[in-house]
Amino acid sequence: MDTYDVVNPRSGAVDHRFTAPAAAELDATLARLRAAQPAWAAAPLAHRIEVLARWRAEWIRRQPDIIDALTLDTGRHLISRTEVMGLPGNIDRWSRLAPTLAQEEEFRSAALPTISYRSQYVPYALVGAISPWNFPVALCFIDAIPALLAGCAVFVKPSEVTPRFAIPAMQSIAAVPELAAVFHVQPGGRETGERLVQSVDAVCFTGSVATGRKVAEAAARAFIPAFLELGGNDPLIVTASADLERATDVALRATCLATGQACQSLERVYVDRRVFAPFVERLVEKARRVEVNWPDIHAGTIGPFIFGKQADIVAAQLADARAKGARVLCGGEILDHGGKWLRPTVLVDVDHSMTVMTDETFGPVIPVMPFDTVDEAVALANEGVYGLSAGVIAGTLEEAEAIGRRLDAGGISLNDGSLTAMCHEMEKHSFKLSGLGGSRMGPGGYLRFFRRKSLIRQHGAPATLDSIDESLARS
Ligand code: NAD
């Protein structure tokens, strides 16, 4: 049984402690969920929708407590509010969509006229979800809600870095006994995650590429599907025809929102050389006006690093870039007030020998590099191991789309950036190491929780073995 000391991201001090479930406790919880799942799946979808609607009401009742806990977890208030208040909309969206999907329609075979088919959608009995620290609430429930509606039982293991929100969140679930029978949220660390993967029928993992690989390997050994949503190093391309006011607004917002601690953050910016100087000038002017939310959490735009180690990774990337010739035009110094902050940091004279351009940064850092041709920009954007999302800003949407179609990533924002954080209706796949295993968004985000069974109906006489009598070939 592991006890974790949890650091407050604003003060840098340990102010919370929790104990991860011991192996026997985890096993007992999973057995309880598994035992309740058949009745949950056998009930009509309308029942599951109604149970989630009751949970939605309990969630709304407890929103102030959940927001307070999440604010302590993340050191930011407004985004915590948005995350917590976004959950009812998430339940509503899936509750509207689910009844239109997984229809068990019958259709006739074109090849064999006496045969018809019917599909049965069989949910995975027990789904494990493992979530990261950067958007603790949104990413805790993002896969659980469609999985529950599909008829699965779900155990979510939030990150050990941000466990406080799980206490009031679990109270909201406990207030709806039918839901608590099949849904459990309990923070833990690596060992809990490892044991979970060995014990479930499908796993949804959101986190880093390094851990995602381990989860995929463990899932392969357990012979279960793994849905992996991993890191990114998203590029933004700005063409000569782009409106620079728009382009700099997008570059600043989509790199710095949530202190850059978002998988779909823009992490590197390529700008046509003809507009490079005015772009950088405007960007720096805007970046210098941005304040961190310290000492007052209710003022400023940039929160602390939620995980102190992330500040060290960002500092190491900045040191590497400086050593290789990059110039820091603003920001660039980690502010240590116990917790750690960084102002928007614009870098120029960067290239792909620097980790700030090739690795995930997860901080409010904006390296800007010029290009001479669109082909060069596309090649630069497509370099590297990640393929989560990307952005293109051009004079027209058509010009932006022509470039976006050539980018190796699953969500391309045209004349904006990081739109996949706001738009959940479209299906998208991660490219390269940014993920594996089907779309989390759109209809696929629900359908992936079912195995599809074919019920093949014979309306005529079955074939006999005589049908392959060799003598038939003579006639
Ligand atoms: P992480 O990989 O360190 O941890 C993620 C989760 O995995 C945590 O709950 C952790 O306890 C658990 N874990 C650790 N070792 C494990 C193991 N061996 N087996 C099972 N579980 C294990 O990631 P993080 O630092 O918490 O999160 C940041 C990363 O998440 C970034 O790379 C970010 O890009 C990525 N992310 C991706 C998306 C997406 O949708 N693609 C969304 C948000 C964050």
Side-chain angles (χ1 to χ4, degrees):
M1 196 159 18
D2 287 326
T3 297
Y4 287 85
D5 288 339
V6 187
V7 172
N8 182 302
R10 297 184 66 79
S11 68
V14 172
D15 70 351
H16 184 78
R17 198 159 275 146
F18 81 97
T19 303
E25 182 193 345
L26 178 64
D27 292 351
T29 304
L30 294 174
R32 174 177 67 73
L33 297 177
R34 204 178 265 291
Q37 185 269 340
W40 176 249
L45 172 59
H47 171 73
R48 296 193 290 278
I49 290 174
E50 186 268 322
V51 170
L52 259 64
R54 273 191 276 138
W55 173 43
R56 181 189 191 282
E58 295 296 339
W59 179 271
I60 289 171
R61 207 189 314 283
R62 288 168 180 78
Q63 265 178 185
D65 292 347
I66 307 173
I67 292 169
D68 285 351
L70 187 63
T71 300
L72 288 171
D73 273 332
T74 61
R76 59 196 186 202
H77 180 66
L78 184 68
I79 295 176
S80 299
R81 266 173 66 93
T82 310
E83 258 192 87
V84 173
M85 294 170 76
L87 188 94
N90 194 353
I91 295 173
D92 293 345
R93 185 163 46 78
W94 283 114
S95 297
R96 268 196 313 273
L97 189 60
T100 69
L101 303 171
Q103 305 284 352
E104 299 200 353
E105 282 163 3
E106 185 169 346
F107 67 95
R108 281 270 169 181
S109 161
L112 300 165
T114 64
I115 299 282
S116 70
Y117 303 100
R118 198 179 262 280
S119 285
Q120 183 186 354
Y121 289 80
V122 184
Y124 288 102
L126 183 56
V127 170
I130 299 173
S131 55
W133 48 259
N134 58 324
F135 286 95
V137 162
L139 295 169
C140 173
F141 297 107
I142 192 167
D143 300 312
I145 291 168
L148 286 163
L149 286 174
C152 311
V154 182
F155 185 107
V156 187
K157 187 208 81 61
S159 167
E160 64 276 35
V161 178
T162 50
R164 301 169 186 82
F165 81 90
I167 298 169
M170 212 33 221
Q171 286 164 358
S172 73
I173 295 168
V176 184
E178 298 99 314
L179 184 65
V182 289
F183 187 27
H184 192 81
V185 176
Q186 190 166 11
R190 177 178 54 80
E191 282 178 21
T192 308
E194 284 173 348
R195 196 167 184 88
L196 187 63
V197 177
Q198 288 163 21
S199 315
V200 293
D201 304 308
V203 62
C204 301
F205 173 83
T206 310
S208 62
V209 170
T211 314
R213 252 190 214 285
K214 290 182 193 154
V215 168
E217 286 165 5
R221 278 193 297 277
F223 225 74
I224 60 166
F227 306 114
L228 306 176
E229 299 283 343
L230 310 178
N233 184 25
D234 292 1
L236 174 70
I237 294 175
V238 179
T239 68
S241 58
D243 171 351
L244 294 189
E245 195 58 25
R246 172 193 287 260
T248 47
D249 278 348
V250 168
L252 186 65
R253 187 203 81 228
T255 51
C256 295
L257 194 135
T259 318
Q261 304 164 121
C263 57
Q264 76 292 337
S265 274
L266 293 175
E267 298 239 338
R268 50 199 170 113
V269 181
Y270 302 100
V271 180
D272 189 301
R273 196 179 297 279
R274 288 168 287 177
V275 294
F276 185 79
F279 175 91
V280 170
E281 191 183 325
R282 269 192 224 196
L283 180 65
V284 170
E285 188 191 305
K286 291 177 184 178
R288 284 207 171 112
R289 293 203 294 262
V290 177
E291 296 293 337
V292 299
N293 75 348
W294 191 88
D296 182 359
I297 194 171
H298 298 293
T301 325
I302 306 265
F305 286 100
I306 295 172
F307 188 32
K309 278 190 199 154
Q310 196 63 42
D312 302 339
I313 293 169
V314 173
Q317 287 192 10
L318 291 176
D320 170 74
R322 281 186 170 113
K324 290 173 180 161
R327 278 186 300 133
V328 177
L329 301 185
C330 60
E333 299 305 326
I334 303 286
L335 310 171
D336 192 339
H337 301 297
K340 291 176 180 169
W341 280 257
L342 177 65
R343 288 177 191 281
T345 296
V346 178
L347 296 175
V348 291
D349 298 341
V350 291
D351 61 43
H352 283 203
S353 71
M354 302 169 186
T355 53
V356 79
M357 295 299 279
T358 56
D359 291 2
E360 186 176 49
T361 303
F362 236 49
V365 177
I366 323 168
V368 195
M369 184 172 169
F371 66 81
D372 291 304
T373 66
V374 166
D375 285 350
E376 183 194 356
V378 168
L380 287 166
N382 283 342
E383 244 181 54
V385 298
Y386 296 103
L388 192 66
S389 39
V392 184
I393 311 228
T396 64
L397 279 170
E398 290 69 28
E399 187 189 351
E401 181 170 333
I403 298 170
R405 284 178 177 272
R406 299 171 63 190
L407 299 180
D408 298 335
I412 314 290
S413 300
L414 304 176
N415 279 355
D416 205 333
S418 300
L419 285 176
T420 54
M422 301 171 219
C423 310
H424 291 192
E425 286 126 327
M426 287 284 291
E427 293 201 349
K428 69 175 188 75
H429 289 115
S430 300
F431 285 42
K432 299 190 259 180
L433 297 191
S434 286
L436 201 64
S439 176
R440 163 185 269 177
M441 316 290 194
Y446 177 68
L447 293 171
R448 66 191 169 141
F449 293 114
F450 296 98
R451 281 150 300 168
R452 208 175 300 183
K453 201 201 279 185
S454 273
L455 302 166
I456 308 162
R457 297 153 68 107
Q458 174 60 277
H459 299 270
T464 65
L465 198 56
D466 292 345
S467 62
I468 55 158
D469 186 326
E470 289 289 356
S471 64
L472 289 175
R474 283 207 300 271
S475 54

Short mmCIF file of all heavy atoms in Angstrom, two decimals, residues 342-366:
data_model
loop_
_atom_site.label_atom_id
_atom_site.label_comp_id
_atom_site.label_asym_id
_atom_site.label_seq_id
_atom_site.Cartn_x
_atom_site.Cartn_y
_atom_site.Cartn_z
N LEU A 342 6.12 30.47 -15.36
CA LEU A 342 6.95 30.98 -16.47
C LEU A 342 6.08 31.91 -17.30
O LEU A 342 4.96 31.55 -17.68
CB LEU A 342 7.45 29.81 -17.34
CG LEU A 342 8.27 30.17 -18.58
CD1 LEU A 342 9.61 30.83 -18.19
CD2 LEU A 342 8.54 28.93 -19.44
N ARG A 343 6.61 33.11 -17.57
CA ARG A 343 5.88 34.02 -18.46
C ARG A 343 6.01 33.51 -19.90
O ARG A 343 6.97 32.79 -20.20
CB ARG A 343 6.49 35.42 -18.38
CG ARG A 343 6.22 36.13 -17.09
CD ARG A 343 6.93 37.48 -17.10
NE ARG A 343 6.89 38.06 -15.79
CZ ARG A 343 5.83 38.70 -15.29
NH1 ARG A 343 4.74 38.84 -16.02
NH2 ARG A 343 5.86 39.19 -14.08
N PRO A 344 5.10 33.93 -20.80
CA PRO A 344 5.23 33.52 -22.20
C PRO A 344 6.64 33.81 -22.69
O PRO A 344 7.16 34.93 -22.51
CB PRO A 344 4.20 34.38 -22.92
CG PRO A 344 3.16 34.65 -21.87
CD PRO A 344 3.91 34.76 -20.58
N THR A 345 7.25 32.82 -23.29
CA THR A 345 8.66 32.89 -23.65
C THR A 345 8.80 32.73 -25.16
O THR A 345 8.51 31.65 -25.71
CB THR A 345 9.41 31.76 -22.90
OG1 THR A 345 9.31 32.04 -21.50
CG2 THR A 345 10.87 31.69 -23.32
N VAL A 346 9.19 33.82 -25.84
CA VAL A 346 9.34 33.77 -27.30
C VAL A 346 10.82 33.57 -27.63
O VAL A 346 11.68 34.28 -27.13
CB VAL A 346 8.82 35.08 -27.95
CG1 VAL A 346 9.03 35.03 -29.47
CG2 VAL A 346 7.35 35.29 -27.61
N LEU A 347 11.07 32.56 -28.47
CA LEU A 347 12.45 32.24 -28.88
C LEU A 347 12.58 32.40 -30.39
O LEU A 347 11.67 32.00 -31.13
CB LEU A 347 12.77 30.78 -28.57
CG LEU A 347 12.78 30.28 -27.13
CD1 LEU A 347 13.01 28.78 -27.13
CD2 LEU A 347 13.87 30.97 -26.36
N VAL A 348 13.69 32.95 -30.84
CA VAL A 348 14.01 32.96 -32.28
C VAL A 348 15.42 32.38 -32.45
O VAL A 348 16.09 32.05 -31.47
CB VAL A 348 13.93 34.38 -32.89
CG1 VAL A 348 12.49 34.87 -32.93
CG2 VAL A 348 14.82 35.36 -32.12
N ASP A 349 15.85 32.29 -33.71
CA ASP A 349 17.13 31.62 -34.05
C ASP A 349 17.11 30.17 -33.54
O ASP A 349 18.09 29.68 -32.96
CB ASP A 349 18.33 32.38 -33.47
CG ASP A 349 18.46 33.79 -34.05
OD1 ASP A 349 17.85 34.03 -35.12
OD2 ASP A 349 19.12 34.64 -33.43
N VAL A 350 15.97 29.54 -33.75
CA VAL A 350 15.83 28.14 -33.32
C VAL A 350 15.95 27.22 -34.54
O VAL A 350 15.74 27.64 -35.68
CB VAL A 350 14.47 27.90 -32.62
CG1 VAL A 350 14.41 28.60 -31.29
CG2 VAL A 350 13.31 28.34 -33.52
N ASP A 351 16.31 25.98 -34.30
CA ASP A 351 16.32 24.97 -35.37
C ASP A 351 16.05 23.60 -34.76
O ASP A 351 15.92 23.48 -33.54
CB ASP A 351 17.64 25.01 -36.16
CG ASP A 351 18.84 24.71 -35.28
OD1 ASP A 351 18.74 23.77 -34.45
OD2 ASP A 351 19.88 25.40 -35.39
N HIS A 352 16.02 22.59 -35.63
CA HIS A 352 15.61 21.26 -35.17
C HIS A 352 16.72 20.47 -34.48
O HIS A 352 16.55 19.29 -34.20
CB HIS A 352 15.01 20.47 -36.34
CG HIS A 352 13.60 20.90 -36.65
ND1 HIS A 352 12.70 20.08 -37.29
CD2 HIS A 352 12.93 22.06 -36.40
CE1 HIS A 352 11.54 20.73 -37.42
NE2 HIS A 352 11.66 21.93 -36.91
N SER A 353 17.85 21.14 -34.17
CA SER A 353 18.85 20.48 -33.32
C SER A 353 18.48 20.67 -31.84
O SER A 353 19.10 20.08 -30.96
CB SER A 353 20.24 21.05 -33.57
OG SER A 353 20.32 22.38 -33.03
N MET A 354 17.47 21.53 -31.59
CA MET A 354 17.12 21.90 -30.21
C MET A 354 15.92 21.09 -29.72
O MET A 354 14.92 20.95 -30.44
CB MET A 354 16.78 23.40 -30.14
CG MET A 354 17.92 24.27 -30.62
SD MET A 354 17.40 25.98 -30.82
CE MET A 354 18.87 26.69 -31.55
N THR A 355 15.99 20.63 -28.47
CA THR A 355 14.88 19.82 -27.94
C THR A 355 13.58 20.63 -27.86
O THR A 355 12.49 20.06 -27.95
CB THR A 355 15.22 19.27 -26.53
OG1 THR A 355 15.62 20.36 -25.70
CG2 THR A 355 16.33 18.24 -26.60
N VAL A 356 13.68 21.94 -27.75
CA VAL A 356 12.46 22.75 -27.67
C VAL A 356 11.64 22.65 -28.97
O VAL A 356 10.43 22.87 -28.96
CB VAL A 356 12.83 24.22 -27.33
CG1 VAL A 356 13.34 24.98 -28.56
CG2 VAL A 356 11.69 24.95 -26.68
N MET A 357 12.31 22.27 -30.06
CA MET A 357 11.61 22.10 -31.34
C MET A 357 11.22 20.65 -31.60
O MET A 357 10.30 20.40 -32.38
CB MET A 357 12.51 22.58 -32.50
CG MET A 357 12.81 24.05 -32.49
SD MET A 357 11.31 25.06 -32.64
CE MET A 357 11.02 25.02 -34.40
N THR A 358 11.89 19.71 -30.98
CA THR A 358 11.65 18.30 -31.33
C THR A 358 10.90 17.51 -30.26
O THR A 358 10.27 16.51 -30.56
CB THR A 358 12.98 17.57 -31.61
OG1 THR A 358 13.82 17.72 -30.45
CG2 THR A 358 13.68 18.16 -32.82
N ASP A 359 10.98 17.97 -28.99
CA ASP A 359 10.32 17.25 -27.90
C ASP A 359 9.05 18.00 -27.47
O ASP A 359 8.90 19.18 -27.76
CB ASP A 359 11.23 17.14 -26.67
CG ASP A 359 12.42 16.21 -26.93
OD1 ASP A 359 12.53 15.71 -28.06
OD2 ASP A 359 13.23 16.03 -26.01
N GLU A 360 8.19 17.30 -26.72
CA GLU A 360 7.04 17.99 -26.14
C GLU A 360 7.57 18.90 -25.02
O GLU A 360 8.35 18.46 -24.18
CB GLU A 360 6.08 16.96 -25.57
CG GLU A 360 4.79 17.57 -25.06
CD GLU A 360 3.80 16.50 -24.58
OE1 GLU A 360 4.21 15.61 -23.81
OE2 GLU A 360 2.63 16.56 -24.97
N THR A 361 7.15 20.17 -25.01
CA THR A 361 7.66 21.12 -24.00
C THR A 361 6.71 21.21 -22.81
O THR A 361 7.13 21.18 -21.66
CB THR A 361 7.87 22.52 -24.63
OG1 THR A 361 8.76 22.38 -25.74
CG2 THR A 361 8.46 23.50 -23.63
N PHE A 362 5.40 21.34 -23.08
CA PHE A 362 4.40 21.41 -22.02
C PHE A 362 4.63 22.63 -21.13
O PHE A 362 4.52 22.56 -19.90
CB PHE A 362 4.43 20.11 -21.18
CG PHE A 362 3.09 19.40 -21.13
CD1 PHE A 362 2.37 19.15 -22.28
CD2 PHE A 362 2.56 18.97 -19.92
CE1 PHE A 362 1.16 18.49 -22.25
CE2 PHE A 362 1.33 18.31 -19.88
CZ PHE A 362 0.64 18.06 -21.04
N GLY A 363 4.94 23.75 -21.77
CA GLY A 363 5.12 25.01 -21.05
C GLY A 363 4.78 26.15 -21.99
O GLY A 363 4.63 25.94 -23.20
N PRO A 364 4.67 27.38 -21.48
CA PRO A 364 4.28 28.53 -22.31
C PRO A 364 5.45 29.06 -23.13
O PRO A 364 5.91 30.20 -22.93
CB PRO A 364 3.78 29.54 -21.28
CG PRO A 364 4.57 29.23 -20.05
CD PRO A 364 4.83 27.75 -20.06
N VAL A 365 5.94 28.24 -24.03
CA VAL A 365 7.15 28.57 -24.79
C VAL A 365 6.78 28.61 -26.27
O VAL A 365 6.09 27.72 -26.76
CB VAL A 365 8.24 27.51 -24.52
CG1 VAL A 365 9.47 27.78 -25.37
CG2 VAL A 365 8.59 27.47 -23.03
N ILE A 366 7.24 29.66 -26.97
CA ILE A 366 6.85 29.87 -28.38
C ILE A 366 8.12 30.04 -29.22
O ILE A 366 8.58 31.16 -29.45
CB ILE A 366 5.95 31.12 -28.54
CG1 ILE A 366 4.99 31.26 -27.35
CG2 ILE A 366 5.20 31.07 -29.86
CD1 ILE A 366 4.27 32.59 -27.29
#
